[in-house]
Amino acid sequence: MKNLHLFFLFFILVFISPISSLAQKPQGDDSDCVVCGEATYKVTKISGPSLVTEKFQTYLTSAWAYSDRYVWSETTTTTLQITGGATFDITEAIKNQLNLSWSKSKSYSVAIQIPADKNKYSKLGLFGDFNKYYVKVVKDKFGQETTSHHDAYEPTSTHYLKVVYKN
Amino acid sequence: MIKKSFLIFCTLVSFLILGCQSEHIKGFIVFGKWDGVYVAKKDDPFVLNFILLSDSPLTNVTSIDFPEISHAIEDMQYDLIEGDKYKDFQLFNIAVNLRLQEVSSAILSKITLIFDQKYKETFPIGQIKLAVDEKGIFTPQNEYVTAYPNTQFFQAKLKNISNHTIQIKGVTVENTYLQTKDVKINDKSEKRSVSPNETINMYFTLAEKAEQNAHFYIVTPKIEYELAGKASSTYIDPVFYGMTNLTKEKLDDILKQN
């Protein structure tokens, strides 16, 4: 019976402990850290907001086509855009600390048809007005600071549909 | 005497039943009002959108008609597109593609809905003027905004695709409630000449002429120009205003106008 207890303890030490420590090991850029934990971010607004008009958001049709009209049937949504290779954590920090909107979509929607010049290759694109901020982000991980700068484009409710021609 | 009374009674009951039936078929329907100018070009279909609110699903709409131009319609296709719900009403768009037998100036102010292939009801839709133009002189370059949220401004890059150098004298719109203001060509307000294949940047703001206004606009800018001393004009591609911005206030205003 004593042997059985000893075997059970040995089993826990040899197999369960490494598995449990593996499960706790953080993913991503923390995988090589010696002492693991969460980084903190301090976001400072350097300038803004300044209005940027008719900024490209996305194409609503995939391929170039000779089309005499487009049907736009989705709810127009423009989303927060951060430049300068911002990670998800940095994007979240900028959004939360500066209290920026993640997205602006219309209140009510019905599909509409939009005319286009059928003699030219075209696509339908979504554009919007954005509030632009220039921000500094300091990432602190156990005393080690990394600074980065980004442009943050906060969406407004002003959207445009453009027929983009391939000239 | 009894027979006569019975006949009158039957007639009254029939009227009542028919009246109720017709009302039941139609329900409550109200269209957003347009102030638009659309240029008809030969062999090019029109793309029009009629946005409406209805308290019924409109499953019994079997066809549509435009009484003012029905004689001239060569081909018409329409889609009844269901949108979001607003209060107790359903938002719809009747998206129409029209091709006319002959291109002529006309005014669209009414749309007729035909229910169950029997009952007709005509609704006001504001006013859309159909203007006539031959091949345009200016064509959009790169990007062309075809749907603006509000009547704030117009901006486009346009290329002179004619073989002539033309003198631009002015830019106007023929809408009932709108007029152009602060017209600028390449950031300058003075008149200027445009050579063949030259691209210009046109910008203007729009001002309301009166307190009255429409829910939706089609703006088709008209360029007045001079060629070899002769005055002429040409239209550029139509632009929709107000359709991508269906706010609560706008939908309430559409309901109120009924």
Side-chain angles (χ1 to χ4, degrees), chain B residues 96-123:
Chain B
V96 183
N97 269 274
L98 270 175
R99 195 186 295 273
L100 301 181
Q101 279 168 354
E102 57 193 59
V103 177
S104 59
S105 299
I107 285 180
L108 284 183
S109 66
K110 296 174 222 167
I111 186 170
T112 300
L113 304 187
I114 296 125
F115 301 90
D116 294 325
Q117 296 177 321
K118 282 187 224 163
Y119 307 100
K120 287 183 181 180
E121 183 77 25
T122 299
F123 302 89

Side-chain angles (χ1 to χ4, degrees), chain B residues 91-233:
Chain B
L91 197 56
F92 286 98
N93 178 17
I94 300 179
V96 183
N97 269 274
L98 270 175
R99 195 186 295 273
L100 301 181
Q101 279 168 354
E102 57 193 59
V103 177
S104 59
S105 299
I107 285 180
L108 284 183
S109 66
K110 296 174 222 167
I111 186 170
T112 300
L113 304 187
I114 296 125
F115 301 90
D116 294 325
Q117 296 177 321
K118 282 187 224 163
Y119 307 100
K120 287 183 181 180
E121 183 77 25
T122 299
F123 302 89
I125 48 119
Q127 186 169 281
I128 299 174
K129 292 178 198 164
L130 302 180
V132 184
D133 193 24
E134 293 305 311
K135 194 169 175 267
I137 283 181
F138 289 95
T139 186
Q141 288 292 286
N142 308 327
E143 302 161 359
Y144 194 72
V145 183
T146 41
Y148 285 91
N150 307 304
T151 53
Q152 68 267 58
F153 67 97
F154 170 92
Q155 190 271 323
K157 272 200 173 105
L158 302 164
K159 186 177 178 181
N160 177 2
I161 52 167
S162 76
N163 298 321
H164 311 284
T165 297
I166 61 167
Q167 299 286 330
I168 295 181
K169 296 290 172 194
V171 181
T172 57
V173 294
E174 295 177 331
N175 295 68
T176 308
Y177 302 129
L178 296 177
Q179 62 190 8
T180 56
K181 253 180 78 182
D182 306 324
V183 178
K184 287 196 173 88
I185 292 167
N186 293 344
D187 292 328
K188 288 178 183 153
S189 52
E190 68 256 30
K191 320 291 176 238
R192 58 158 294 150
S193 67
V194 186
S195 312
N197 290 320
E198 186 182 343
T199 297
I200 55 166
N201 191 19
M202 181 184 286
Y203 173 91
F204 58 79
T205 55
L206 289 157
E208 281 169 6
K209 281 184 200 170
E211 275 182 21
Q212 219 184 348
N213 54 22
H215 301 114
F216 312 112
Y217 295 91
I218 305 171
V219 170
T220 303
K222 185 181 183 182
I223 301 176
E224 285 158 355
Y225 64 93
E226 213 172 79
L227 174 60
K230 195 182 155 199
S232 193
S233 64

Side-chain angles (χ1 to χ4, degrees), chain B residues 43-78:
Chain B
D43 299 326
D44 275 353
F46 298 89
V47 178
L48 298 171
N49 297 271
F50 298 97
I51 289 168
L52 66 107
L53 285 158
S54 168
D55 66 355
S56 69
L58 297 185
T59 45
N60 53 350
V61 172
T62 47
S63 61
I64 64 164
D65 190 21
F66 296 96
E68 290 141 321
I69 55 160
S70 56
H71 60 281
I73 295 172
E74 185 179 272
D75 184 34
M76 181 171 69
Q77 292 166 8
Y78 77 92

Side-chain angles (χ1 to χ4, degrees), chain A residues 54 68-69 72 106-115 117-118 120 127 158-165 167, chain B residues 43-45 47 49 79 83-84 86 93 97 139-149 153 240 244 246:
Chain A
E54 294 185 42
D68 63 357
R69 63 181 184 274
W72 169 70
K106 298 184 332 69
S107 308
Y108 299 97
S109 169
V110 64
I112 55 171
Q113 290 195 5
I114 290 185
D117 187 340
K118 66 181 177 189
K120 289 188 199 175
F127 294 69
T158 306
H159 306 129
Y160 310 86
L161 294 173
K162 285 189 187 185
V163 177
V164 181
Y165 291 106
N167 291 307
Chain B
D43 299 326
D44 275 353
V47 178
N49 297 271
D79 294 310
D84 288 340
Y86 178 65
N93 178 17
N97 269 274
T139 186
Q141 288 292 286
N142 308 327
E143 302 161 359
Y144 194 72
V145 183
T146 41
Y148 285 91
F153 67 97
F240 294 122
T244 58
L246 300 176

Side-chain angles (χ1 to χ4, degrees), chain A residues 5 10 25 33 37 56 66 71-74 87 93 95 99 106 108 112 122 126 130 132 142 147 164-165:
Chain A
H5 280 144
F10 177 75
K25 194 171 183 180
C33 65
F56 175 75
Y66 289 110
V71 179
W72 169 70
S73 59
E74 290 167 18
T87 60
K95 178 177 87 77
N99 201 21
K106 298 184 332 69
Y108 299 97
I112 55 171
S122 64
L126 172 65
F130 289 79
K132 183 185 171 185
F142 300 105
T147 304
V164 181
Y165 291 106

